[in-house]
Amino acid sequence: MEKEITVALVGNPNCGKTSLFNALTGLNHKVSNFAGTTVEKKTGETRLSAGVKAQIIDLPGTYSLYPKSADELVTYEILRNKAESNYPDLVIFIADASNLKRNLLLYSQVADLGVPIILCLNMMDVAERKGIRYDLKLLEKELGVPIFSINARKQEGIDNIKSALLNDKLRLTAQYYNLDHVNAQMLDEVCKATDKRNKYAALQFAINASSLLSEKAHRIIQIFEKYSFDTRKFQEEEILARYQIIDGTVRNARLKNTGQLKNSLTHKIDEILTHRYWGIAIFLVLLLLVFQAMFSWSSYPMDFVEYIFGLLSNYIETQMPKGILNDLLVQGILAGLSGVMIFLPQIIILFLFIAILEDIGYMARVGFMMDRIMRPFGMNGKSIVPLISGMACAVPSIMASRNIENKKERLITILVTPLMSCSARLPVYTLLIGMLIPDTAKWGPFNVHGLVLMVMYLIGFAAAILSAWIFKFFIKQKQKNYFIMELPSYKMPVFSNLMITLYEKTGAFVWGAGKIIVAVSVVLWVLASTGPQDNIAKVERKFLPTISNDTLPKYIREEAKLQMNAQKLEASYAGEFGKMIEPTIRPLGFDWKIGIALLTSLAAREVFVGTMSTIYSVNDEGGEETFSNIKTKMQAEINSQTGKPSYSLATILSLMIFYAFALQCMSTIAVVKKETHSNKWPIIQFLYMTVLAYASSFFVFTIFS
Amino acid sequence: MNLTELKFGQKAIIERVTDEALSLKLFEMGLLPGETIMLENVAPFGDPIAVLLSESKICLRLQDAASVQIKPIN
């Protein structure tokens, strides 16, 4: 029978944990939740030998086992409970060799929990560049656990770890911090109250439980009071005592040390990248570059995706027997899917840029530069990462806010992140901007499309920080707020890591959006091709004699066919539905067709384009023109009441503003509910964004019409 | 003297952290009594600041830095 062991990766932030995880598991991993909890886990599998597999759990980077932020809490939650099925058989602790002292602080805490542990020293090359070298044999002897030297980014030393996982003799535990100075009787009571035998694990759990006010907090606080045990003072003493032990160990094992603080390459780069003027200028140029790249680099791959979908639908249409299934596939599902998948190249470029900036360590600098600007708005420098990655997708960004220690700042960041223009809005903007301005328009060296798009992103950002400023006055502050963050040394990006990140993020987008789009497309197609009573049949009866009359000139028959299709859509359930809500959206300049799209994109914004494709292709009765440019069709659309184009400047601008502000994304609502552990905040968020969207669209439409 | 008064390139030894609410976080990040510290960068708007410790680089706000007592060394 196959044996499986559970291994957890633990370490400080920026220690190279994710690189090691990728090196061990490759693409063979997934993100899921621990059963029955909101704690997220990233797990992967690696084969150790013919009969043994290892289940690798990647835990968020943390500085200590006394969690101060939501991501640190995740790591603590996994390591605290031996009864939990995911409790590791073994911990691989990854330490940054160039910053060993601080890394070993957490290491010693984890080891003291009594879990078997092996220590991996990563980034030895960085350490050597700093003039630091260690006698690994001596260090191994002093610490009493197996030590491996690895280079996770270059995938060096990975096989040694794999064989170590197989070797039961290397499952060692170690004990560093002595609890003799703590009242033994109290420790016994704490052990009993927390159901733990390991004294440090019990006390550590008790201290966290008392400060987090989680389970058993009441009983524990009683015990602490009885013995007048000061938890804060204990923690402070514990940390200092651990540093003292580590200091001795590290000093003994250190071979070479210049012992001098000196300005490194990282310092020289920071002089420029965080410079008073240059720093800000470089940041803005980088952003502009991203938008230009999204537009100019993506046109060929986009044409390619369009071409593939065209081939596919043509093939299905001609090879499959004609009928309902054929129509559903071509006009419903494929039309809906292609409308969004065509934007995949742009989304990939955006995800790639953000992944590179994260990987080389630049994002932390942006946080450092922006903290002063974010502060008056009730956020801090760490909020900038969620906000910027919000331009890709709000869902992972909201999860990225977990490292913000202050609850109020984190909540505000979560509430306003969805206002940043995410990649799902990109298809909508691209379509609408394209209707206003020709593709080829240039302003100096810049593509005008790219510039207008950047303006849309800036509007989103402005709305986000202004909303944050307003929320600041309504959300109560309990904790002290501070901004203390590590600026990791710059690293060269690693291609395989970038590709894995890209694969994960893009995959999540394609499957997440794809599922919703297919479902919505099917429903929509059914609603658009059927109607109450025999209204649709009536329309057909009215027009068919004209259309099939060969004696009439061709243009009259074509005209009649268009008329028929328009009236058929109007007579369908979808048409009825759109008309029902038309009165509420007419002040914004939207007709019932846009109404249908607004309803369907309540699930996800990108469905707008799919819906438009579906509506207009149903209208078109398939044929070669199914995939002809939907933009052209929308531009040609004439409002039957006014006789003017349905999509006037005012309507298009109003629609863009509506999509910029409205919270049309089920996944975001779900993740906010999860991250805030409440129903209240996702509801507030949905309401404020809807009101903002409606009011702003109304304003824009009124001004421009 | 506190950390906000440190000048570029000047080194100092950390003596203690006066703000109890911050001390744990600062200690965990490696900013603890006895460590040598040096001012490396100041953010574009004059705040926060980035300091170099023996093995890492940490940034913090001026208001947080004010609670770090230091003794300059030559």
Side-chain angles (χ1 to χ4, degrees), chain A residues 47-114:
Chain A
R47 181 158 292 285
L48 301 174
S49 72
V52 188
K53 275 193 308 190
Q55 182 81 9
I56 314 274
I57 307 178
D58 188 18
L59 297 178
T62 174
Y63 290 105
S64 88
L65 284 184
Y66 297 107
K68 283 161 194 65
S69 59
D71 56 348
E72 295 191 337
L73 191 64
V74 173
T75 302
Y76 160 73
E77 287 286 338
I78 307 298
L79 291 175
R80 79 177 175 86
N81 191 357
K82 271 192 181 170
E84 161 78 56
S85 63
N86 286 288
Y87 188 81
D89 299 308
L90 178 76
V91 165
I92 299 180
F93 191 92
I94 303 103
D96 172 359
S98 70
N99 192 354
L100 195 55
K101 224 176 111 175
R102 197 201 56 210
N103 280 253
L104 288 185
L105 172 74
L106 174 65
Y107 159 79
S108 74
Q109 285 183 328
V110 175
D112 281 351
L113 293 178

Side-chain angles (χ1 to χ4, degrees), chain A residues 371-381 383 404 406-414 416 465 467-473 475 477 481, chain B residues 61:
Chain A
D371 177 64
R372 188 64 194 85
I373 301 178
M374 308 303 285
R375 226 180 295 169
F377 301 101
M379 294 186 282
N380 81 33
S383 310
I404 301 173
N406 184 282
K407 288 204 176 74
K408 175 178 172 177
E409 290 177 338
R410 176 164 179 242
L411 182 58
I412 292 179
T413 307
I414 290 176
V416 304
I465 59 169
S467 311
W469 184 74
I470 293 169
F471 277 123
K472 195 178 88 168
F473 296 102
I475 298 171
Q477 168 85 310
N481 61 340
Chain B
R61 290 177 181 166

Side-chain angles (χ1 to χ4, degrees), chain A residues 31 82 122 154 240 244 302 445 457 534 628 655 663 688:
Chain A
V31 178
K82 271 192 181 170
N122 194 18
K154 291 186 182 150
L240 292 176
Q244 217 162 19
M302 284 172 77
Y457 278 73
D534 58 343
S628 85
L655 200 52
L663 181 55
Y688 101 83

